[in-house]
């Protein structure tokens, strides 16, 4: 059917308002073009009515568009009229648009061309509850209601329409893909990563999301091959695995950029000693093939250089002591217990090798200088020995023992006494009587004070002393003395020695003084002219706190402790004793079983001592109240509580050791910071030394399984 062109003059009354709005119509079976005769000078007016041909567009019929410098709002309303859509134009959408098709196009193509023109001018059309809104592109992400939750590209949206798409990733990290996809998305649209479920939320045009979906599908793939098991024929798996892994890391591809996380899968090689095989997993089959080729070249039989005894091997130990381990291996090979040779071990000279014991088919020697084993054995027997060595040469756990020694003592003493002396008779009498009481000695006795007090040879005792002196022949003589004394004393001693030692190794800590004790002496007592030099022999002993601990960790996590603990001190009153000082000693020696991190009490001393003494005149002293003038009493009470507590903590790796060390380091550092002197302008020194801030050591990362 030949298309017929409709002349604009037939619609002269409405031509002025429609020349910029309606530029398309449809004729039955073919396309007809509506060409406006006037330019778009007055295109802002809304159309009063549409021609019958524009409102009666049938579905599936082609359209020919011819908008020349028409207002965007007018074009949008015309497209809504043609497609039967409710269109709302945002007031911020301003400007003109030229939309022309050279030949008839279908409805989908016409709408796509309209949306593309909007997009080029910074606008777009979004749908919300059946209402189509023309808004600026920057606001489209806030008003778009179309959300796709499947992992593929959006299917129902038009290419120029903005939608929100959620992509759930299976292998790749969502945070890593944000940097890759951000340049491919419009500046006004968004891309966000949700690390919780490893998903990407992208708001952009539907046609661009289809392209991004293909990119994500190509990148979200597994970056590791299946596990490969390589059986070795000659080499030892535990020796070959570190070498192969080091070579593969050296020949690996380019790493991650500076400052970016390295998410590439690294080649993993694990030795399985029981079956003497290597377990390999790599990023791609090519890397696995490279590992197999390298292993095949290295898995060659060793040369026979020791006759019938087999190969000569050197095994460098990481944790165990070579001398002790060699003795253990020789005993295992010979089937008899072999003790280490005298002088071997800690006291052995560096660079000397412990004597080897010939066994049935093998020999084991220890080189103390390099802490290594020299093994001469056939390959089958050497493999057995290597498996034993690898298990015994493991990193040993350590035990941190916290001990607490608490001692609380309280002393109380009270003394009371009345003494008096007097003479009976007159001056010149032949016989004079003496009557009185005296108790105690030194500064407590009335007679000693009366005879030596005037010259200062004897001083009164401690406490309150009340005396009365009477004059006799011009001399004052002490005739009455009353003493009152009460003493109290309390002590609180807390010691917290701590030790860190290897499993099944004894540790010792001594905190105290090295006190001299006289063990013999010689003095020249002759009056002759012989020359003899007097001398003394002295023995020094440690006095203070001594703690010896030997821990042993069991498989269930408990710790067996062999403990020797001693607390000794010098009695203050005997420091200047001619026979030497007297020491107080408290010792505990025991074996206990403690759970990791639990507190155990070893034992202690609970002592309550009471002492009472009294001097009195019989009979008279028993008279109520009046009898106190004829007596002297003293009482004392001493209570001592001593307890010893231990808390072992198992430290199994370097990270735990570092945490423990840094905790104690910061504890000491904070104490130094709090002990700073108060600033004073008169004193130039205003700062005390403080430990520097500790920097944790970075732990090596483990290879991915």
């Amino acid at each position: 059917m030949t298309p017929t062109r409709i002349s604009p003059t037939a619609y002269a009354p409405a031509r002025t308002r429609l020349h910029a709005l309606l530029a398309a119509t449809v004729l039955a079976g073919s396309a007809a073009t509506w060409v406006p005769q006037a330019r778009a000078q007055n295109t802002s007016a809304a159309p009063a009515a549409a021609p019958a041909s524009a409102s009666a567009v049938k579905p599936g019929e082609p359209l020919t568009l011819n908008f020349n410098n028409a207002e965007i709002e007018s074009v949008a309303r015309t497209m809504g009229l043609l497609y039967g859509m409710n269109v709302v134009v945002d007031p911020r959408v301003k400007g003109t648009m030229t939309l022309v098709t050279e030949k008839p196009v279908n409805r989908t193509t016409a709408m796509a061309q309209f949306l593309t023109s909007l997009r080029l001018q910074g606008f777009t059309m979004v749908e919300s509850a059946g209402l189509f809104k023309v808004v600026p592109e920057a606001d489209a992400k806030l008003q778009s209601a179309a959300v796709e939750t499947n992992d593929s590209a959006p299917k129902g949206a038009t290419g120029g329409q903005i939608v929100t798409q959620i992509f759930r990733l299976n292998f790749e990290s969502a945070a890593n893909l944000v940097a890759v996809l951000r340049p491919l998305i419009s500046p006004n649209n968004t891309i966000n990563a949700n690390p919780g479920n490893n998903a990407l939320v992208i708001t952009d045009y539907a046609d661009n999301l289809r392209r991004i979906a293909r990119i994500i599908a190509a990148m979200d793939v597994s970056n590791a091959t299946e596990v490969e098991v390589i059986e070795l024929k000659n080499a030892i798996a535990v020796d070959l695995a570190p070498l192969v892994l080091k070579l593969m890391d050296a020949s690996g591809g380019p790493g991650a950029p500076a400052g970016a996380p390295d998410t590439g899968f690294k080649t993993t090689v694990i030795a399985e000693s029981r079956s003497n095989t290597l377990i390999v997993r790599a990023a791609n089959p090519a890397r696995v093939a490279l590992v197999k080729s390298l292993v095949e070249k290295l898995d060659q039989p060793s040369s026979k250089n020791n006759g019938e005894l087999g190969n000569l091997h050197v095994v460098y130990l990481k944790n165990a002591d070579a001398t002790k381990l060699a003795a253990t291996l020789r005993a295992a090979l010979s089937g008899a217990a072999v003790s280490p040779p005298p002088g071997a071990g800690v006291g052995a000279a560096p660079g000397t090798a412990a004597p080897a014991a010939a066994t049935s088919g093998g020999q084991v020697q220890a080189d103390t200088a390099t802490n290594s084993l020299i093994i001469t054995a056939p390959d089958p027997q050497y493999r057995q020995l290597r498996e034993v060595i690898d298990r015994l040469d493991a990193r040993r756990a350590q035990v941190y023992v916290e001990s607490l020694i608490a001692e609380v003592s309280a002393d109380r003493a009270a003394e009371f006494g009345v003494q008096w002396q007097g003479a009976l008779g007159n001056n010149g009498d032949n016989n004079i009587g003496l009557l009185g009481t005296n108790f105690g000695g030194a500064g407590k006795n009335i007679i000693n004070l009366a005879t030596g007090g005037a010259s200062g040879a004897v001083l009164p005792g401690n406490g309150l002393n009340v005396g009365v002196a009477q004059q006799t022949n011009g001399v004052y003589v002490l005739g009455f003395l009353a003493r009152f004394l009460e003493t109290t004393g309390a002590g609180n001693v807390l010691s917290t020695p701590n030790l860190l030692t290897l499993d099944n190794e004894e540790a010792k800590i001594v905190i105290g003084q090295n006190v001299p004790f006289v063990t013999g002496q010689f003095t020249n007592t002759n009056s002759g002219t012989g020359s003899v030099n007097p001398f003394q022999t002295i023995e020094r002993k440690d006095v203070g706190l001594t703690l010896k601990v030997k821990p042993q960790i069991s498989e269930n996590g408990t710790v067996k402790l062999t403990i020797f603990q001693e607390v000794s001190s010098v009695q203050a009153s005997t420091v200047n004793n001619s026979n030497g000082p007297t020491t107080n000693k408290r010792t505990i020696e025991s074996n206990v079983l403690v759970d990791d991190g639990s507190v155990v009490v070893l034992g202690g001393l609970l002592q309550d001592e009471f002492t009472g003494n009294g001097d009195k005149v019989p009979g008279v002293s028993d008279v109520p109240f009046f009898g106190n003038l004829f007596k002297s009493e003293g009482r004392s009470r001493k209570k001592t509580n001593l307890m010893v507590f231990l808390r072992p903590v198992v430290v199994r790796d370097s990270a735990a050791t570092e945490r423990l060390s840094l905790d104690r380091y910061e504890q000491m550092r904070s104490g130094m910071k709090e002990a700073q002197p108060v600033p004073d302008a008169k004193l130039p020194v205003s700062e005390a030394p403080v430990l520097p801030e500790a920097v944790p050591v970075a732990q090596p990362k483990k290879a991915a399984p």
Side-chain angles (χ1 to χ4, degrees):
M1 183 176 183
T2 304
T4 303
R5 182 178 298 273
I6 301 176
S7 174
T9 57
Y11 299 93
R15 184 179 63 184
T16 304
R17 294 188 298 270
L18 295 179
H19 71 279
L21 298 176
L22 197 55
T25 185
V26 178
L27 299 179
S30 183
T33 304
W34 186 304
V35 182
Q37 300 299 320
R39 300 293 294 174
Q41 292 90 356
N42 300 317
T43 59
S44 59
S53 59
S55 61
V57 176
K58 298 180 180 180
E61 296 189 45
L63 302 174
T64 300
L65 305 179
N66 189 8
F67 295 96
N68 188 14
N69 289 332
E71 290 289 339
I72 297 177
E73 179 181 2
S74 301
V75 178
R77 296 184 183 277
T78 302
M79 296 299 292
L81 180 63
L82 291 175
Y83 283 83
M85 301 182 303
N86 295 325
V87 179
V88 176
V89 181
D90 192 286
R92 292 172 294 178
V93 178
K94 302 293 183 181
T96 61
M97 173 186 295
T98 298
L99 185 60
V100 178
T101 58
E102 299 297 334
K103 58 182 180 178
V105 295
N106 56 36
R107 294 165 59 91
T108 303
T109 305
M111 179 57 70
Q113 188 169 350
F114 169 64
L115 295 178
T116 302
S117 299
L118 286 177
R119 181 175 176 180
L120 293 176
Q121 299 195 48
F123 307 116
T124 187
M125 185 168 64
V126 297
E127 179 186 0
S128 177
L131 181 64
F132 292 85
K133 297 180 287 186
V134 180
V135 295
E137 185 184 64
D139 293 345
K141 58 180 175 292
L142 304 177
Q143 302 188 29
S144 176
V147 178
E148 297 288 341
T149 58
N150 60 320
D151 294 337
S152 60
K155 300 177 181 178
T158 308
Q161 184 177 353
I162 289 183
V163 296
T164 299
Q165 178 77 15
I166 300 176
F167 297 92
R168 294 184 178 87
L169 305 180
N170 297 320
F171 303 101
E172 188 59 52
S173 172
N176 293 342
L177 286 184
V178 170
V180 177
L181 300 177
R182 176 69 266 184
L184 306 178
I185 298 173
S186 304
N188 291 327
N189 295 324
T190 61
I191 176 173
N192 296 289
N194 182 15
N197 59 355
N198 197 33
L200 289 173
V201 181
I202 306 176
T203 300
D204 202 2
Y205 292 96
D207 54 355
N208 194 34
L209 285 179
R210 294 188 181 95
R211 181 182 62 151
I212 291 176
R214 292 192 296 271
I215 296 175
I216 293 176
M219 300 185 68
D220 187 25
V221 294
S222 176
N223 57 355
T225 62
E226 297 294 333
V227 175
E228 294 283 345
V229 179
I230 304 175
E231 184 178 356
L232 301 180
K233 298 179 180 179
N234 302 285
I236 305 299
V238 293
D239 290 340
L240 197 58
L243 177 61
V244 173
L245 186 60
K246 186 175 182 180
L247 292 174
M248 294 304 298
D249 290 342
S251 61
D262 188 4
T263 58
F265 188 87
K266 295 184 178 180
T267 303
T268 303
V269 181
I270 301 176
E272 207 285 309
S273 57
R274 184 182 61 84
S275 59
N276 196 36
T277 57
L278 294 178
I279 303 174
V280 182
R281 193 179 185 188
N284 49 63
R287 303 288 290 178
V288 176
L290 183 59
V291 172
K292 288 183 177 180
S293 175
L294 183 60
V295 171
E296 184 179 357
K297 294 179 181 179
L298 296 176
D299 188 21
Q300 302 295 330
S302 57
S303 60
K304 303 293 183 179
N305 56 1
N306 201 26
E308 296 180 355
L309 293 179
N311 299 326
L312 187 64
H313 306 275
V314 178
V315 180
Y316 294 95
L317 302 180
K318 302 179 181 66
N319 302 284
D321 182 80
T323 304
K324 296 180 181 179
L325 187 55
T328 303
L329 293 176
R330 289 195 294 266
L333 290 174
S334 62
V338 179
S339 59
V346 178
T352 59
T359 61
S360 57
Q363 246 184 0
V364 180
Q365 296 186 84
D367 182 64
T368 56
T370 58
N371 194 40
S372 59
L373 296 176
I374 304 173
I375 302 175
T376 304
D379 285 346
Q381 190 177 33
Y382 172 67
R383 291 172 185 167
Q384 294 178 355
L385 290 175
R386 272 310 297 265
E387 184 174 354
V388 175
I389 292 172
D390 293 336
R391 294 187 180 183
L392 296 180
D393 191 29
R395 179 187 176 95
R396 296 168 61 184
Q398 301 182 92
V399 179
Y400 181 72
V401 181
E402 296 178 325
S403 60
L404 188 148
I405 304 170
E407 180 176 357
V408 179
S409 61
D411 298 339
R412 295 190 63 186
E415 295 183 14
F416 166 77
V418 176
Q419 305 173 56
W420 52 271
Q421 293 286 337
L424 300 177
N426 296 320
N427 187 13
D429 292 345
N430 293 329
N431 296 318
I432 298 176
L434 297 174
L435 182 64
T437 60
N438 66 91
F439 308 119
K444 302 178 183 180
N445 188 276
I446 189 173
I447 296 178
N448 291 341
L449 285 175
T451 57
S455 62
V458 179
L459 299 177
N462 297 332
L464 177 62
N465 294 275
V466 179
V468 176
Q470 61 181 1
Q471 186 178 17
T472 302
N473 294 329
V475 178
Y476 288 96
V477 179
L478 184 63
F480 176 81
L481 176 64
R483 292 190 66 254
F484 304 91
L485 174 65
E486 182 177 358
T487 61
T488 59
N492 185 1
V493 180
L494 180 65
S495 302
T496 58
N498 300 328
L499 280 174
L500 179 65
T501 180
L502 281 174
D503 179 26
N504 210 25
E505 295 288 344
E506 183 181 286
K508 176 182 178 181
I509 184 172
V510 177
I511 304 172
Q513 296 177 330
N514 195 253
V515 180
F517 293 87
V518 178
T519 58
Q521 62 181 357
F522 176 79
T523 304
N524 183 13
T525 58
N526 297 328
S527 58
T529 59
S531 167
V532 179
N533 295 326
F535 65 89
Q536 288 183 335
T537 58
I538 297 175
E539 178 185 6
R540 291 184 174 273
K541 295 182 179 181
D542 293 331
V543 177
L545 176 64
T546 302
L547 177 63
K548 295 181 183 179
V549 178
K550 183 178 181 180
Q552 184 177 0
I553 306 172
S554 62
E555 291 296 332
N556 58 359
T558 58
V559 182
K560 179 184 177 183
L561 297 174
T562 301
I563 304 163
F564 173 80
Q565 187 270 328
E566 178 183 297
V567 178
S568 57
S569 61
V570 177
Q571 192 169 345
S573 60
T574 63
V575 172
N576 299 322
N577 197 329
S578 60
N579 294 325
T582 301
T583 58
N584 301 320
K585 183 182 293 185
R586 303 177 181 90
T587 303
I588 296 177
E589 189 171 0
S590 177
N591 296 321
V592 296
L593 194 65
V594 195
D595 291 333
D596 181 16
S598 300
V599 180
V600 62
V601 57
L602 294 184
L605 172 67
L606 301 178
Q607 183 179 8
D608 192 349
E609 180 182 352
F610 174 79
T611 303
N613 55 71
D615 298 329
K616 62 181 180 179
V617 178
V620 182
S621 61
D622 296 331
V623 177
F625 184 75
F626 181 75
N628 292 326
L629 299 176
F630 301 92
K631 67 172 61 174
S632 176
E633 291 183 346
R635 298 176 184 178
S636 65
R637 186 175 184 179
K638 182 178 181 181
K639 297 181 66 175
T640 303
N641 296 333
L642 174 65
M643 285 292 175
V644 179
F645 302 89
L646 285 182
R647 178 177 178 265
V649 178
V650 179
V651 182
R652 298 190 179 274
D653 52 20
S654 58
T657 304
E658 184 180 4
R659 286 196 302 269
L660 179 64
S661 302
L662 290 179
D663 178 69
R664 296 300 183 268
Y665 189 90
E666 288 299 328
Q667 180 181 357
M668 181 64 68
R669 185 169 179 269
S670 62
M672 288 184 172
K673 293 174 65 177
E674 294 175 358
Q676 293 293 319
V678 178
D680 191 348
K682 300 178 181 178
L683 301 176
V685 179
S686 59
E687 292 184 357
V690 179
L691 288 172
E693 185 176 358
V695 179
V697 180
Q699 299 296 327
K701 297 183 179 179
K702 298 182 179 179

